[in-house]
Amino acid sequence: MIGDIAAHPNSAPLAEGMVDLLDERLDSAPRGRAVDSLADYVALRSTLLDQPASEPPALQSNTGEFSTVSLEELVDAGAVTLHEAPPTVVSETGETPMLSAKDVRLGRAPSRWGNVAAPGAVTVRAGDVAVVIGTDVAVRVCADAGALLGPGIHLVRSNVKALDPDFLAGVLRAAVDAADGNHVDLYQVSVPRIPPAEQRRYADVFAQLTELETAWQQQRSNMERLIRSGFRGLAQGRLRPGTGDE
């Protein structure tokens, strides 16, 4: 330990020898690695400084109360259908792109392959709402049609003339967030009874909140990478403290 070295009777010569050894190793370090580390750090720092925080949507108090209808009632009325895919849809030799739970969480295109002929296979339609429940919840409106639905995803399909998909996705996101990782019975989720035109207004604000979250997640990722790069570069002698102008 550093404290033990300082208490040793021969600590001065030993400390001097360690300093000489450290200086020698730093002098012999490859300069290219230092340049690369600095370039990485500077790029990340520049990205964060040039990345202004997104403005949250303006909201105000609502004095009235919505009447609500459960998703189960909407299913019974034929306004909504719920779908899940069987595990047998997964196929490494399949020829149809398949949406996985991870794809939904990351908001990316289908990354797996599935067998469209598997009993119970579900083909995604544009406007379907994909819901992943668990420790990493995710709710996404599917923009494209044709992919297979992968296991572990709840698919909520609405009659768009009665229920706006983006509005529905916002309501479902609020419900799974409130469950905090616990089991969610989607059939019991309460959906506000509001006209389609008003649903669109809510959907637009839900979309702004989603964009804000995406920007924050990207900024957080860049910040974590910058911090790791700074610690590693300083500790390994590839970076040194600067003035902020370099």
Side-chain angles (χ1 to χ4, degrees), residues 69-72 184-191:
V69 58
S70 71
L71 209 63
E72 184 174 27
V184 179
D185 184 351
L186 292 181
Y187 284 96
Q188 300 308 311
V189 172
S190 296
V191 180

Side-chain angles (χ1 to χ4, degrees), residues 71 75 80-84 154-157 186-187:
L71 209 63
V75 170
V80 170
T81 55
L82 270 65
H83 305 269
E84 290 184 71
H154 301 271
L155 192 78
V156 186
R157 180 174 293 160
L186 292 181
Y187 284 96

Side-chain angles (χ1 to χ4, degrees), residues 147-231:
L148 286 174
L149 182 70
I153 306 171
H154 301 271
L155 192 78
V156 186
R157 180 174 293 160
S158 67
N159 178 345
V160 297
K161 293 181 179 179
L163 198 57
D164 185 282
D166 294 294
F167 168 73
L168 177 59
V171 172
L172 293 173
R173 164 68 188 273
V176 295
D177 274 350
D180 198 23
N182 295 318
H183 173 71
V184 179
D185 184 351
L186 292 181
Y187 284 96
Q188 300 308 311
V189 172
S190 296
V191 180
R193 292 178 182 267
I194 56 178
E198 188 72 3
Q199 290 178 25
R200 190 65 248 170
R201 292 183 61 207
Y202 278 76
D204 289 342
V205 178
F206 283 141
Q208 291 178 56
L209 290 170
T210 299
E211 290 172 7
L212 185 67
E213 180 182 47
T214 301
W216 171 77
Q217 289 173 338
Q218 183 60 58
Q219 192 169 39
R220 176 180 174 179
S221 175
N222 287 335
M223 183 69 76
E224 289 174 344
R225 290 169 58 201
L226 176 137
I227 290 170
R228 287 197 299 269
S229 176
F231 269 106

